[in-house]
Each structure stands twice: as structure tokens, then as C-alpha cells.
Amino acid sequence: MSAHNVVRDFTRTDASILEGLATLGVSTVHEADQRRGALSPAIRPIQAGVRIAGSAVTVRCPAGDNLMIHAAVETCRPGDVLVVTTAAPSTHGMLGELLAVSLRARGVIGVVMDAGVRDVAELRAMGFPVWTRAVSPLGTTKANPGSVNVPVVCDGQDVAPGDAVVADDDGVVVVPRDRAAAVLEAGRARVSAEDAKRAQLATGELGVDMYDLRPLLADLGVAYLDGPSG
Amino acid sequence: MSAHNVVRDFTRTDASILEGLATLGVSTVHEADQRRGALSPAIRPIQAGVRIAGSAVTVRCPAGDNLMIHAAVETCRPGDVLVVTTAAPSTHGMLGELLAVSLRARGVIGVVMDAGVRDVAELRAMGFPVWTRAVSPLGTTKANPGSVNVPVVCDGQDVAPGDAVVADDDGVVVVPRDRAAAVLEAGRARVSAEDAKRAQLATGELGVDMYDLRPLLADLGVAYLDGPSG
Amino acid sequence: MSAHNVVRDFTRTDASILEGLATLGVSTVHEADQRRGALSPAIRPIQAGVRIAGSAVTVRCPAGDNLMIHAAVETCRPGDVLVVTTAAPSTHGMLGELLAVSLRARGVIGVVMDAGVRDVAELRAMGFPVWTRAVSPLGTTKANPGSVNVPVVCDGQDVAPGDAVVADDDGVVVVPRDRAAAVLEAGRARVSAEDAKRAQLATGELGVDMYDLRPLLADLGVAYLDGPSG
Amino acid sequence: MSAHNVVRDFTRTDASILEGLATLGVSTVHEADQRRGALSPAIRPIQAGVRIAGSAVTVRCPAGDNLMIHAAVETCRPGDVLVVTTAAPSTHGMLGELLAVSLRARGVIGVVMDAGVRDVAELRAMGFPVWTRAVSPLGTTKANPGSVNVPVVCDGQDVAPGDAVVADDDGVVVVPRDRAAAVLEAGRARVSAEDAKRAQLATGELGVDMYDLRPLLADLGVAYLDGPSG
Amino acid sequence: MSAHNVVRDFTRTDASILEGLATLGVSTVHEADQRRGALSPAIRPIQAGVRIAGSAVTVRCPAGDNLMIHAAVETCRPGDVLVVTTAAPSTHGMLGELLAVSLRARGVIGVVMDAGVRDVAELRAMGFPVWTRAVSPLGTTKANPGSVNVPVVCDGQDVAPGDAVVADDDGVVVVPRDRAAAVLEAGRARVSAEDAKRAQLATGELGVDMYDLRPLLADLGVAYLDGPSG
Amino acid sequence: MSAHNVVRDFTRTDASILEGLATLGVSTVHEADQRRGALSPAIRPIQAGVRIAGSAVTVRCPAGDNLMIHAAVETCRPGDVLVVTTAAPSTHGMLGELLAVSLRARGVIGVVMDAGVRDVAELRAMGFPVWTRAVSPLGTTKANPGSVNVPVVCDGQDVAPGDAVVADDDGVVVVPRDRAAAVLEAGRARVSAEDAKRAQLATGELGVDMYDLRPLLADLGVAYLDGPSG
């Protein structure tokens, strides 16, 4: 195997599972996968109110060069999410409007960028969602090699091609493809439980009672004091 | 006194003072309190266009554990603002939609979080305002002790339970309860003075004349040059 | 020449060139000027969807003191952009609503601030655009000298008075006045070329073909693999 | 009470307690005080191998102005540690060789600086220990008021005049004066216990056995696997 | 497989290869492995002048809890390097003198910590080398589960148990076990070539001639100008 | 003029002035030049106890490419200091032992790097001083154009070829060549004045008296209180 590869195809997460994960959202999916796979707060959405889930097409570029994003486009299919990493830290604008037009033409539903993007006004106008470390006009070269659809580390999390990528206003979470079905099931159970809890809490019932936390507080030695005006 | 306490009650800032402070906004209150009490730009609103003032309910949690937020809820009253700190730096999502529902049921009008929150799409949809260091899906445990309604340090500023917390698009400022009335008065005087100045400046009058700064500039040795095209 | 000067006048970039640059936007201008002059992602807009270009009025202040902004106002003309730097790093709120009212009365169309601003709710309501390092209520003194309309370094880029400053959702780029006409021409050529490319990419044509990148990929030793499900 | 005060005198922590705390070091003291009072890793020593404990003389300066450090000198006594904070974040060099000479002449044994220092080569040559956020040649004015020996917040921790400040290669920890004796006692007990544990561990005994952690690991569901070569 | 596992054994990198890699040092190994595997500058040595290479024992802890480091000790063998990561970002002091004594008793030659350490004076005195993100007295609990000797991501790089970890004053680089022999060979070739180059450069020969860069500079359009005093 | 130039020669600062500036050190020179020209605390020395002054040879590289450093070597003369900047932020190791050997063969006395260096153990062993933003093993390409001996911005400060660069444990300061003689004179006067002040302060005389600050403190409304134990 060469040091630089474009893998043309790979197994994707089932569309029906992705649809379910998109409904759950990032924080619920993260909980349902035992609190794994969340990118850090440094990767932020450039828009508000969008929630997506798709299979990862992974790209590994040199810092400041987006040749491999161009190479990745033809491996994309409808419903995919492009995940771009760089070999060294960088805030270059690795992707702008033109690449977004090209990705959309292939059916890509969003981008997770561990570097920078530009043309954000145009991206927002297109309704093309992006989660990124930086917004920057700094241009890139198209001159240096990297890889497409190999396992990458994005903001400290492993992402393999075909893994489920869920993104919304809370950030981004990655679920390995072989856990996605179980995570969806666990997430749905969690949502059901939360619906009941939400209704209880909305009536003024206290979490310390609903979750039965008073014995724990007592065990931990937390004392209750009346206070100056009690 | 135990190392971990929940203080049930405390003296709050008067509702009429809080109403006045909310009208003034963060920057005016900060000036009126002799430039004290402002949190840093690291604590940002997750929404735009909201301005609140309330009495602080303070919570001190271990990093990554929100048990004490649950314990704090029953000490909250209508008009309060929850102020959450952690014993070690953390960007965990310490609070999400369910806790917000519970806090709203108690009348809490907003949260200042020196860590992270999640479910921000839901929080925005609820119209529940939050100022926070981070947005993160990272979940917490509910297992470790802390304190409620004791003096805390939030982003470098002292906050005592019952202090006035004012928050808007400029950030967050904390006013000690016993200074709040004086600060309101000073702030109102400032606003009146600013109204007059704004009208003058809008006509094109210069600040250097209005504030009589030309003698100062001369004293400081600032020279005026005509420049190449003068 | 004194250490502190206010230069009353200077040669501005032609209004027709500025109008053209505003149409191009930051990322295109940055490319057209051979990828020079972009401020970093640390300088962010407080609003979305605004695109401006104007001649720089430059201000150099001590950290935490905005006397020289007041001194700068009378040197401003319609269409100018105020560029403010500080002698030491600072996130003080150097400019708020009152100064914005005064600047607008002089025809200033926006501010680039390598420090902090406050009253952002009011600035947004006024429609007065600002790009800034920080939002902070921290007030300043009006007591210490600096300079107006001398060459400054703003977030690592040289800015001379009269240089073209272009700003939008991608950030800020500075073009030296004597290059502005050539940059406009190069930018317009780039936009024309991009219009054609955008149309091609929207039909599904691949960038690797359109830019003829396949020979380069082969030369660089990038291997194509079918992958597990290929 | 004025907004700006110099408090001439205050009650210090007993010298014998300070001597004991210096022997324990920062991490042990932090543990012995129930993990309270530690400054963050942002405050670093400019030297290695020094361990001190003294009573805090507190100074609150405006950003970029060290007038109040000069005012603080005459309130210092032998064995004191100067703790300097600024009203807004700053990395100015607030203190250099000359002030260190002056402080040493008063018997001050070190400085904790929540801003910057300069002349570090000279400070090291003098053997005058400093813990600081930054090293910077940036000079300050001596023109603006602040306070001396009032309670301050230093890097997020409350420090009152007379509190015990312990500093070494691990950083800085602050112990309230009225807890110092109890902390010393708890710390000494901890050191004794650690001496015994160190001896056991040095022989190859495992912490999981010594601390009896195997039942906990089993309870937590941690599984043991032999692994590929087991 | 459970969510939390301790893998007792795994295949290590050959000792002879490790010995060779230690001679090469981090930067040479990084180059020899096609510029892969380097941790970022955020992970720094607490000592100077040390260069090690060992097989990775990997630990994944919750933030602020070091129970799994204790569990890892018995899986360590002479020559190993402990690599510790946390599930959420943290600067807690996860490891101090006592654990270092225990690790040394097992033959561990160093630690790479993607969080914090404490007792650095004692660690330096012991000559126990550590590369870490932070130094902090903040203590941890020993209460929460994680894993030992599973693949982890440390500061953005994949580390599998048994991988070669090389660390020195330049930082840390990780080489997958199955590439370690080839990397050693490539690194030795590089060192030989560099010895010859160093000798040439020391005589004043220019790199532009030795590497034949003048034609490239000409091709890239770099112009030579004599300059004002030429 | 091309976009990329190597300027072969330029006027340097006089050697006798540089010798004098090196004696003064960074903080004194910064003060003597009216507090101008200091780089930020982000640029740190990799060694302690070194103080140099030389004429700047300036290099502007693309991020992650050090071709132009190689091109710069032949323009260096004994006593020069190499100042390297990158067109986009980068922490690549732009310079290591081999380049240092080559620079030393040309008489270069140190490097200021607004990016990263590697081989720091070897650089320290050679006694070749470096001030840098980062230490990183990340290698660079030698493939992309830039400029040598043109004006650059290094960490926010303008540096022209031939300017005086002074560097020591406090950081780096740049003095324009045409101000260097005046700065030296002002610096020497400052040192003489400081010698007298140091002697006074060492005897226990107070700065508030020596600088006559008591009237200023009174004017500013600073009140003196005796305190609890006064």
C-alpha cells in the first residue's frame, strides 16, 4: 500500500440508521454511545438550527493544500458527510463555495472541517452546512498528496470511512459503523425516557426526587443549611 | 460547617433594582460600578438580543459532575439566575434541555455557566438564555459533591448568592447585593448623560470638543500634521 | 516628528475601486492580491451578511485607552473604515454605541478592532458593522496618547492610512492603495472564471477533471484502491 | 470606604505554620486542604527547584499600571509573598529587577503575578523567585489607582491579605489563614502515610493491591482480557 | 467485549529496534516515518536533555480520575512507556511521585501524559522523564472506570499498545509497531546522509547549492535584487 | 518588482551600536525606544541566560515550507540575526540542526522564528540561540517561494532588513536601524539612572518616596487604612 491512497469505495452506515440518528441529535447520540466520539467545542457550526447525519467520506490533506478534497469528490454519494483533516494544524480556508457546489452536486449533505473554510456567506446562502475550526480567507495550494477514505483522526477522534457522523448546534459526534444500530436503539430508549422526565420536570417536580439523589447527597456528606434569611 | 453545603435561602437583590439593572445593560452597569465585576469575553451568550438581571443562585460542582445543579434547583425562586462554576476547568456539557425545563418551572430566568452546556438548539427554541464558556455534548456524572449558595469565583469574579447578575450580548457583570441600589442610581445618571451626548454626536459634533479633549491631547504632546494631501 | 501624531489627511483609495472590491468580497480579494493581507480568524464580525470596502483611517492606542479614537473622528470622511490597534494586547471594550454614532455622523461605514468592543446589541440595531477580536464591557480611560493615520500593524498585517480594507463574513483583508486597482482587475477576472467553473461543477463535473488534476495525482504517487465493497 | 485603599496592616499566618507548609509543597498542601486553592497551570515559575510559603500581601492594579505595587512595598514584612492581580487581563511586565530589589530589602520572599514580569535573567541571578502568567518586556505606567491588602481574585482563586501562599515547581496554592494550621496538620499526616506507601511501591507492590482497588474495578465492570500474546 | 477493559498483554516493539529509535531521536524518526505520528507542541517535556524510546502501555481515563493508571501498572514491563489519555480534556495532575515510584519499580522508562502531572520537582530529582500537557497540583479521584492497553488517541495521534513511542526535547512521536523496523532503517539512512551534509555545511557550502535549489527558485519566479547597498 | 524577491544586500545597523544594545538587554531597549518593538510572550527562548543583538536578515516563507531560509543563508554576514515569518500561522519545525550549522558557518548569531524549530537538544548543545513560537518535529517542504530581506511583520511587529534585533530571556525587541543610535544613548542613560535607583532601593528606601508618588496617590483618591491589626 502506498503512503497516499484514494479508496474508491467502502461500506456505509445504513440510510435508515442515519435517518434515526439525525432525529436524535448529537448530545443524545453521544450519551447513547457511552459518551464516546464527540469532537471538541473548537469545531463549531457556521449556521444555526441544522441537524444532519451521514456516512463519513474521509480526507487527509497536508496543511494548506486541498488537492485531496478535489480527489475525494468522485467517491462521494448522496447522504455522505465529508470529514477533512490536515497533517499539521492549519486554519487555511480549505473549502469554499465552488467545492460546496461540487459536493452538493454529488449529494453530500455537509462538511466537518478540522481546519478552515471560506465563502461562509455563500455557504449559508446555499444552505450547505459546515462545522469547522476556523473561518479564514487564506487560500490553499492544489499541489501536495494525501489520502481519501482511509481512517483519520479528526479533532482527537478516530473516523473511519463509512462511520456515522452526526452534527448539529451542539457540535459533532462520530459513531463507528458497526455500533450505529445499537446506538440508535439506545438513543431512542433515552429519548423516550427523557420525554417522560421532561413532562415531570415541567410540572415543578425536582430532579433530586425524580432521580432519587437525596440519599446520595446525604452519603456524600452534603449538609443542608437554612441560610441567613431562612 | 461541612466542606460541602447546600444553603437553602439567602437574601436576594430587590426585584425593582434588578428590573432597573436589566434596562441599563451590562456595559452601563459595569461602568456604573466603577468598572468592576465583568466576566471575560470567554463567557458568551448562545443567543442574541437578550438582556436579563436576576439574583445569583450559586453552584460549585466538581469538573464533569452536575449533581449539585440538581441539588440547587429547589433553592431557586422566580427571577433568579443560576451561576455554575467547577472546581477544575472543564468544558463538559453540564446542563441541557431537561435541567432548563426544571429551572424554568422554578422561575429561573437564565444561566451563567463557567463550563459547557448542550442541547443549545432546544435551549434557543425554549427561549431560555444561557451565557457559557463552551458548547459541548460531553455528558457528566451525577455522583460527586459540591456546594450550593456559597460564595464562588466565576471566571475570575466573586459571586455571592443573592448578588445581582446582569447579562446581555456584551457578556455578564456581577454586582454585589449591597452595592446594587447605588449602581442602579449611578447607571441611570449615566444613561441620561449619554442620551444627551448621543444626540450631540449624531449631529456631527466631535467627541474631542464635547469632552474637551484638545487641551489634553496638546499636553500629551500629540502633534497634528497635515499629511501628504492636506 | 513627534512620537505621537495625528495626521489630518492622506490619499484614499478611489471610491470606484472600493465599490468594486466590496462586490468581490474578502476571499476573492485575498486571492486576487496573491494571498496577501488577510487578518486572522481571531478578528470576527459581530453581525452576519455584511460586506464592505473602505479606505483605512488608522488609530494606534495604548492598551485600555481610547483617547485617540476620539481624536481620529474628525479625520474621517464618508466611506472610510476605522482600523484600531493597541500598543499591547488588550480585550477592553474600546468602542461602543456613542462612538459609533459619532463615526456614522462622519460617514464611516465600519470598524476593524484589534481589541474589544461593547454595546454590540446597540451596534447591531444601528446596522453599524464591526469586526473585532473580542466583545467586552470593560471600559477604557481617555488619558493616554497614541497616533492617528500613521502606518500600523493590525493582527499581523500592515495597514497604511488610505489602504483599502475589505470585510465580510470571511473576515478582513487589507490591500495597499497602490495595488488596489490591479487587485480589482485580477479579482474580476477571477470571478468571471469562477462563474464558469461553478456552472460546470453544478452539473456534476468533477474538479479533478476540470482542473486536470489526475496527472498531478499520478505524479505524486497517489494510488487508487477499490476498497472493501468496490 | 473609598474605591481604592491601601490597608497598612493585617493579620499574617503564623511563621511556624508557613515553615511547615513550605516543607510540604504545593501538591500536598492542595490535597490536605481538600483540593482547594490551586492556581491554574497558566501561572508558572520562572525558576526550578524553589519551594516557598509566606503570607500574602495583595495588590490590585489596573491593567498596564504598576503604581500600586510601589504603594504595596512599605506594607511588606519579612516572609511575605506579593500577590499581584490586574483589573483587566494583561501580560505587561508589571515588575522587574528594581522592584525585586526593593521587595527583597523589605524581606519579601517571592511574587505571584497574574500578569507579566521582566528582567527574568536578573531575577534568576538574584535568586528572587517569581510565579507568573507571562514574561514580557512591555513597560507599564505608574499613573492609575488600585488597592493594596484587600481581598483579590488571582487566576480564579480568592486571596485575602495574610493568607498562606505556597509555591513550588507544581505551581501555587492559597490557603485561607484560618485553615492554615489544620491544613498543615492534615498535610503532615498525608506525608507520613505517603512515606510508607512509597516504600511499599518501590519494592514492586502494586497500587491496586495496596489501595485495595480490585473490588472497585470489578464493581465498575472493568474486564480483564489476556490479549493477543497473553 | 465490555466497554472497559484491561488487556493484560500485547506484542511489543523489539527492544533492539527501540534502542535504535532512541538513538535517532524524535525529529529524525518523524521524518523517517514520512512525517507521521508527531504529537503537537502542547505536549512538552518537564526535563531537558532526555531521549527515550519504548513500547506503549496505553491508558484511557475519565477526566480527573486516575484509577486506570493504577490498574495499568501490573501490565508494564521493563522498557515500556506509559501513554495516558482522558475521555474529556483535563489538566488535572493525574500522576505524581508515588505512581512514578511504582512505575519505575516495574521498569517503565517514561510517561506521555495528555493531561497534567504533579510533583515535578520530585520527578526531576528521580530522573523519571515525563512529557505532559500541563503541570498542576489538582488531585484526582480513583473511582471511575476506563481501559488499559486498548488503542487510544493521544493529542490527535493514534497509539496502539506495543507501538514505539520516541520522546525527547523536540516532543513525542509514535510509530506503529509494524512500521518500526522500516522506520529505523530509513532513519539510519537519513542520519548518514545528514552527517555528510553537516560536514559540508559547516565548511560554508550553501544549502541552495548542496540541494541544487537554484533552478527551483528560478522556476518559481524568485527574483534576485542587489538591494540598496549592493 | 516580482512578488517573490531575494534582496542580496542592505544596510546593517552599526556593529558598535549592536554591541551596546546587547549590553542593555531587551527590556531596557524597549523602554529606551518609547516602549515600541517588543514581540509578544508567545516567542520564547529555547535556552536561558543568552543576550544578543544583531542586524535582521528577514525571511518570509509559506507555512510549512523552508525553501526561502535556504535561499537566505548566502545573504547573511557575521553578527546577523535571522528573522523568519510565515504567510499563514504555522508551528512546523522550520529550522533544525543542519540549517543552524549552515547559519553559524556564515556568522549568524541567532534566530527569531515566528513558527517552530526542531533539534532543540542539538541547538542547545551547539550553543546556537533561538527564540521561537513552538518546538515541533513537524518537517517542511522545500518547494514554495517567498522572499528574503524584504520588510516583514513578525509576531505583530514590523522588521526591516538591517534593523537591530535584541533578544534575551525577556523575549525579543526590534529597533528600526535609523533609531538604533538614539535608542542606545537613551538606554545607557536609563541604565545609569537605574544603577543609582537600585542602590537606593537596596537600602530599603521606598519607591513611593524615591519616585515621589505619594502626592499622586493622594490625588487619585487612594485612601490609607490601618487595617485590623494596625
Side-chain angles (χ1 to χ4, degrees):
Chain A
M1 190 166 172
S2 158
H4 303 301
N5 296 283
V6 176
V7 180
R8 288 202 180 91
D9 205 1
F10 51 88
T11 308
R12 284 165 167 80
T13 302
D14 282 352
S16 62
I17 295 175
L18 293 170
E19 194 178 345
L21 293 175
T23 307
L24 298 178
V26 166
S27 290
T28 297
V29 168
H30 170 64
E31 287 287 339
D33 194 19
Q34 300 184 45
R35 301 188 174 167
R36 289 179 283 194
L39 304 197
S40 83
I43 308 292
R44 296 176 299 179
I46 63 165
Q47 65 289 314
V50 175
R51 183 164 277 171
I52 64 168
S55 288
V57 169
T58 63
V59 190
R60 184 172 167 84
C61 298
D65 191 292
N66 74 354
L67 173 63
M68 299 314 294
I69 302 181
H70 291 280
V73 175
E74 69 184 311
T75 74
C76 295
R77 293 189 189 167
D80 285 348
V81 173
L82 197 77
V83 176
V84 182
T85 67
T86 54
S90 161
T91 58
H92 279 86
M94 299 284 284
L95 179 146
E97 184 201 9
L98 287 192
L99 264 169
V101 166
S102 183
L103 289 165
R104 170 161 281 178
R106 302 290 300 184
V108 172
I109 60 172
V111 168
V112 176
M113 173 62 71
D114 194 2
V117 300
R118 59 185 185 178
D119 300 337
V120 295
E122 290 78 5
L123 296 173
R124 288 170 180 151
M126 284 173 65
F128 188 79
V130 173
W131 288 256
T132 185
R133 180 176 296 279
V135 171
S136 169
L138 287 186
T140 61
T141 50
K142 280 195 285 280
N144 295 301
S147 289
V148 173
N149 294 323
V150 300
V152 297
V153 176
C154 181
D155 191 38
Q157 295 294 337
D158 285 310
V159 189
D163 281 353
V165 177
V166 189
D168 64 16
D169 291 347
D170 283 355
V172 180
V173 67
V174 180
V175 182
R177 184 172 53 83
D178 60 7
R179 290 208 304 259
V183 167
L184 175 57
E185 191 176 2
R188 282 176 170 158
R190 186 177 168 88
V191 166
S192 299
E194 287 197 341
D195 285 345
K197 289 177 194 166
R198 187 184 298 105
Q200 283 179 271
L201 294 169
T203 67
E205 185 171 339
L206 293 167
V208 282
D209 296 320
M210 192 175 80
Y211 299 112
D212 194 22
L213 298 173
R214 293 194 194 276
L216 173 61
L217 288 162
D219 282 356
L220 292 169
V222 176
Y224 279 76
L225 309 176
D226 280 342
S229 69
Chain B
M1 192 167 170
S2 158
H4 303 300
N5 297 284
V6 176
V7 179
R8 288 202 181 92
D9 204 2
F10 52 89
T11 309
R12 286 166 166 81
T13 302
D14 282 352
S16 62
I17 295 174
L18 292 170
E19 193 177 345
L21 293 174
T23 307
L24 297 178
V26 167
S27 290
T28 297
V29 168
H30 170 65
E31 287 286 338
D33 194 18
Q34 301 184 45
R35 301 188 176 165
R36 289 179 283 193
L39 304 197
S40 83
I43 309 292
R44 297 176 298 178
I46 64 165
Q47 66 288 315
V50 176
R51 183 165 278 172
I52 63 169
S55 288
V57 169
T58 64
V59 191
R60 183 171 167 85
C61 298
D65 192 291
N66 73 355
L67 172 63
M68 299 315 294
I69 301 181
H70 291 279
V73 174
E74 69 183 313
T75 74
C76 295
R77 293 191 188 164
D80 285 349
V81 172
L82 197 77
V83 176
V84 183
T85 67
T86 54
S90 161
T91 58
H92 278 86
M94 300 282 285
L95 179 146
E97 184 201 7
L98 287 192
L99 266 169
V101 166
S102 182
L103 289 166
R104 171 161 281 178
R106 302 288 301 183
V108 172
I109 60 171
V111 168
V112 175
M113 173 63 70
D114 194 3
V117 300
R118 58 185 186 177
D119 300 338
V120 295
E122 290 78 7
L123 295 173
R124 288 169 180 153
M126 286 173 64
F128 187 79
V130 173
W131 287 257
T132 185
R133 180 176 296 279
V135 171
S136 169
L138 289 186
T140 60
T141 50
K142 278 195 285 281
N144 296 300
S147 289
V148 172
N149 294 324
V150 300
V152 298
V153 176
C154 180
D155 191 40
Q157 296 294 338
D158 284 310
V159 190
D163 282 352
V165 177
V166 189
D168 64 16
D169 292 348
D170 282 356
V172 180
V173 68
V174 181
V175 181
R177 184 172 54 81
D178 60 7
R179 289 207 303 259
V183 167
L184 175 58
E185 189 177 4
R188 281 176 171 160
R190 187 177 168 89
V191 165
S192 300
E194 287 198 340
D195 286 345
K197 289 177 193 165
R198 186 183 300 104
Q200 283 178 273
L201 294 169
T203 67
E205 185 171 338
L206 294 167
V208 282
D209 295 321
M210 193 176 79
Y211 299 112
D212 193 23
L213 298 172
R214 294 194 194 275
L216 173 62
L217 288 162
D219 281 356
L220 292 169
V222 176
Y224 279 76
L225 309 177
D226 280 342
S229 69
Chain C
M1 192 167 172
S2 159
H4 304 301
N5 297 284
V6 176
V7 179
R8 287 202 181 92
D9 204 2
F10 51 88
T11 309
R12 286 167 165 80
T13 301
D14 283 352
S16 61
I17 294 175
L18 292 170
E19 193 178 345
L21 294 174
T23 308
L24 297 179
V26 167
S27 290
T28 296
V29 168
H30 170 64
E31 287 287 339
D33 194 18
Q34 300 184 45
R35 301 185 176 169
R36 290 180 281 194
L39 304 198
S40 83
I43 308 293
R44 296 175 299 178
I46 64 164
Q47 66 288 315
V50 175
R51 183 165 279 172
I52 64 168
S55 288
V57 169
T58 63
V59 190
R60 184 172 167 84
C61 298
D65 191 291
N66 73 355
L67 173 63
M68 299 315 294
I69 302 181
H70 291 279
V73 175
E74 69 183 314
T75 74
C76 295
R77 293 190 188 166
D80 285 348
V81 173
L82 196 78
V83 176
V84 182
T85 67
T86 54
S90 160
T91 58
H92 279 86
M94 299 283 284
L95 179 148
E97 184 201 8
L98 286 192
L99 264 168
V101 166
S102 182
L103 289 166
R104 170 161 281 178
R106 301 290 302 184
V108 172
I109 60 171
V111 169
V112 176
M113 173 62 70
D114 194 3
V117 300
R118 59 185 186 178
D119 300 338
V120 295
E122 290 78 6
L123 296 173
R124 289 169 180 150
M126 286 173 64
F128 188 79
V130 173
W131 287 256
T132 185
R133 181 176 295 279
V135 171
S136 169
L138 288 185
T140 60
T141 49
K142 278 194 286 282
N144 295 300
S147 289
V148 173
N149 294 323
V150 300
V152 297
V153 176
C154 181
D155 191 38
Q157 296 294 337
D158 285 310
V159 190
D163 283 352
V165 177
V166 188
D168 63 17
D169 292 348
D170 283 356
V172 180
V173 67
V174 180
V175 181
R177 185 173 53 83
D178 60 6
R179 288 206 306 257
V183 167
L184 175 58
E185 189 177 4
R188 282 177 170 159
R190 186 176 168 89
V191 166
S192 299
E194 287 198 341
D195 285 345
K197 289 177 193 165
R198 186 183 299 105
Q200 282 179 275
L201 294 169
T203 67
E205 186 171 337
L206 293 167
V208 283
D209 296 321
M210 193 175 78
Y211 298 112
D212 193 23
L213 299 172
R214 294 194 193 277
L216 173 62
L217 288 162
D219 281 357
L220 293 168
V222 176
Y224 279 77
L225 309 177
D226 280 343
S229 69
Chain D
M1 190 168 172
S2 158
H4 303 301
N5 296 284
V6 176
V7 179
R8 287 204 180 90
D9 204 1
F10 52 87
T11 308
R12 286 166 166 80
T13 301
D14 282 351
S16 61
I17 295 174
L18 292 170
E19 194 178 344
L21 293 174
T23 308
L24 297 178
V26 167
S27 290
T28 296
V29 168
H30 170 65
E31 287 287 337
D33 194 19
Q34 301 184 44
R35 301 185 176 168
R36 290 179 282 193
L39 303 197
S40 83
I43 308 292
R44 296 176 299 178
I46 64 164
Q47 66 288 315
V50 175
R51 183 165 279 172
I52 64 168
S55 289
V57 169
T58 64
V59 190
R60 184 172 167 84
C61 298
D65 192 291
N66 74 354
L67 173 64
M68 299 314 295
I69 301 181
H70 291 279
V73 175
E74 68 183 314
T75 74
C76 295
R77 293 191 189 165
D80 285 349
V81 173
L82 196 78
V83 176
V84 182
T85 67
T86 55
S90 161
T91 58
H92 279 86
M94 299 283 283
L95 179 146
E97 185 201 7
L98 287 193
L99 265 169
V101 166
S102 182
L103 290 166
R104 170 161 282 177
R106 302 289 301 183
V108 172
I109 60 171
V111 168
V112 176
M113 173 62 70
D114 194 3
V117 300
R118 58 184 187 178
D119 300 337
V120 295
E122 289 78 7
L123 296 173
R124 288 169 181 152
M126 286 174 64
F128 187 79
V130 173
W131 287 256
T132 185
R133 181 176 295 281
V135 171
S136 169
L138 288 185
T140 61
T141 48
K142 279 194 284 283
N144 295 300
S147 289
V148 173
N149 295 322
V150 301
V152 297
V153 176
C154 180
D155 191 38
Q157 296 294 337
D158 284 311
V159 189
D163 282 352
V165 177
V166 189
D168 63 16
D169 292 347
D170 283 356
V172 180
V173 67
V174 180
V175 181
R177 185 172 52 82
D178 60 6
R179 289 206 305 259
V183 167
L184 175 59
E185 189 177 3
R188 282 178 171 158
R190 186 177 169 88
V191 165
S192 300
E194 287 198 341
D195 286 345
K197 289 177 194 165
R198 187 183 300 105
Q200 283 179 273
L201 294 169
T203 68
E205 185 171 338
L206 293 167
V208 283
D209 295 322
M210 194 175 79
Y211 298 113
D212 193 23
L213 299 172
R214 293 194 194 276
L216 173 62
L217 288 162
D219 281 357
L220 292 169
V222 176
Y224 279 76
L225 309 176
D226 279 344
S229 69
Chain E
M1 191 166 173
S2 158
H4 303 302
N5 296 284
V6 176
V7 179
R8 288 202 180 92
D9 204 1
F10 52 87
T11 308
R12 284 165 167 81
T13 301
D14 282 351
S16 62
I17 295 175
L18 293 169
E19 193 179 343
L21 294 174
T23 307
L24 297 178
V26 167
S27 290
T28 298
V29 167
H30 170 63
E31 286 287 338
D33 195 19
Q34 301 184 43
R35 301 187 175 168
R36 289 180 282 193
L39 304 197
S40 83
I43 309 292
R44 296 175 300 178
I46 63 165
Q47 66 288 315
V50 175
R51 182 165 279 171
I52 64 168
S55 289
V57 169
T58 64
V59 190
R60 183 172 167 85
C61 297
D65 191 290
N66 74 355
L67 173 63
M68 299 314 295
I69 301 181
H70 290 280
V73 175
E74 69 183 313
T75 74
C76 295
R77 294 190 187 166
D80 286 348
V81 173
L82 196 77
V83 176
V84 182
T85 67
T86 55
S90 161
T91 58
H92 278 86
M94 300 283 283
L95 180 146
E97 184 201 7
L98 286 192
L99 265 169
V101 166
S102 182
L103 290 165
R104 171 161 280 178
R106 302 289 301 183
V108 171
I109 60 171
V111 168
V112 175
M113 173 62 71
D114 193 3
V117 299
R118 58 184 186 178
D119 300 338
V120 295
E122 290 78 6
L123 295 173
R124 288 170 181 151
M126 287 173 63
F128 188 79
V130 173
W131 287 256
T132 185
R133 180 176 296 279
V135 171
S136 169
L138 288 186
T140 61
T141 50
K142 280 194 284 281
N144 296 301
S147 290
V148 173
N149 294 324
V150 300
V152 297
V153 175
C154 180
D155 190 39
Q157 296 293 339
D158 285 311
V159 189
D163 282 352
V165 177
V166 189
D168 64 16
D169 292 347
D170 283 355
V172 181
V173 66
V174 180
V175 182
R177 184 172 53 82
D178 60 6
R179 289 208 304 259
V183 167
L184 174 57
E185 189 176 3
R188 283 176 170 159
R190 187 176 168 88
V191 166
S192 300
E194 286 197 341
D195 285 345
K197 289 177 193 164
R198 186 182 300 105
Q200 284 179 272
L201 294 169
T203 66
E205 185 171 339
L206 294 166
V208 283
D209 295 320
M210 193 176 79
Y211 298 113
D212 194 22
L213 297 173
R214 294 194 193 277
L216 173 62
L217 287 163
D219 281 357
L220 292 168
V222 176
Y224 278 77
L225 309 176
D226 280 343
S229 69
Chain F
M1 191 166 171
S2 159
H4 303 302
N5 296 284
V6 176
V7 179
R8 288 203 179 92
D9 204 1
F10 52 89
T11 309
R12 286 166 165 81
T13 301
D14 283 351
S16 61
I17 295 175
L18 293 170
E19 194 178 343
L21 294 174
T23 307
L24 297 178
V26 166
S27 290
T28 297
V29 168
H30 170 64
E31 287 287 338
D33 194 19
Q34 301 185 44
R35 301 187 177 166
R36 289 179 283 193
L39 304 196
S40 83
I43 308 291
R44 297 176 298 179
I46 64 165
Q47 66 287 316
V50 176
R51 183 165 279 172
I52 63 168
S55 289
V57 169
T58 64
V59 190
R60 184 171 167 85
C61 298
D65 192 291
N66 74 354
L67 173 63
M68 298 317 293
I69 301 181
H70 290 279
V73 175
E74 68 183 313
T75 73
C76 295
R77 293 191 188 166
D80 285 348
V81 173
L82 197 77
V83 176
V84 182
T85 67
T86 55
S90 161
T91 58
H92 279 85
M94 299 283 284
L95 179 146
E97 184 201 7
L98 286 193
L99 265 169
V101 165
S102 183
L103 289 166
R104 169 160 283 178
R106 301 289 300 184
V108 172
I109 60 171
V111 168
V112 175
M113 173 63 70
D114 194 2
V117 300
R118 59 184 186 178
D119 301 337
V120 295
E122 290 77 5
L123 295 173
R124 288 170 180 151
M126 285 174 64
F128 188 79
V130 173
W131 287 256
T132 185
R133 180 176 295 280
V135 172
S136 170
L138 288 186
T140 61
T141 50
K142 279 193 285 282
N144 296 300
S147 289
V148 172
N149 294 324
V150 300
V152 298
V153 176
C154 181
D155 191 40
Q157 296 294 339
D158 285 310
V159 189
D163 282 353
V165 177
V166 188
D168 64 16
D169 292 347
D170 282 356
V172 181
V173 68
V174 180
V175 181
R177 184 171 53 82
D178 60 6
R179 290 207 304 258
V183 167
L184 175 57
E185 190 176 2
R188 282 178 170 158
R190 187 178 169 87
V191 166
S192 300
E194 287 198 340
D195 286 345
K197 290 177 193 165
R198 187 183 301 105
Q200 285 179 271
L201 294 169
T203 67
E205 185 171 338
L206 293 167
V208 282
D209 295 320
M210 193 176 78
Y211 298 113
D212 193 22
L213 298 172
R214 293 194 195 275
L216 172 62
L217 288 162
D219 282 357
L220 292 168
V222 176
Y224 280 77
L225 310 176
D226 279 343
S229 69

